[in-house]
Amino acid sequence: MTDIIDRANDEAQRWLDSQIAKTHHNATDDTECIDCGEPIGEKRKQAVPWAVRCIKCQTALEEKR
C-alpha cells in the first residue's frame, strides 16, 4: 500500500515542481495590479517577480479562498 502512496506523492510533487517552474519562467514586467490598476510596488516585484496583483488585492484574494 505504501508503494502506491509513495508513487502518488512523487507524481504530485513533480506536478507541483513543474507548476512552480512555469510560474517562475513566466515572470511578468507588469507594474500595475490586474485587479485595481494601482502600482504593484517595486519591493513586491523584487520579492515576487511574477506578481500580477498588489499586496492588498492578493491578500483579499487569498482570504476569499
Side-chain angles (χ1 to χ4, degrees):
M1 182 76 153
T2 57
D3 289 338
I4 294 170
I5 295 169
D6 289 340
R7 284 195 308 253
N9 284 337
D10 289 344
E11 185 176 328
Q13 187 63 51
R14 280 192 300 276
W15 179 84
L16 181 59
D17 291 343
S18 72
Q19 296 302 307
I20 291 170
K22 252 194 264 185
T23 302
H24 284 283
H25 180 70
N26 292 334
T28 178
D29 289 333
D30 292 340
T31 57
E32 293 180 355
C33 176
I34 61 171
D35 291 339
C36 70
E38 294 294 318
I40 292 174
E42 186 176 329
K43 287 184 181 180
R44 175 157 170 74
K45 288 300 278 188
Q46 286 176 353
V48 186
W50 56 90
V52 294
R53 289 180 178 84
C54 66
I55 193 71
K56 180 180 172 186
C57 291
Q58 184 66 40
T59 301
L61 178 70
E62 291 174 6
E63 287 175 352
K64 287 181 186 177
R65 294 182 184 168

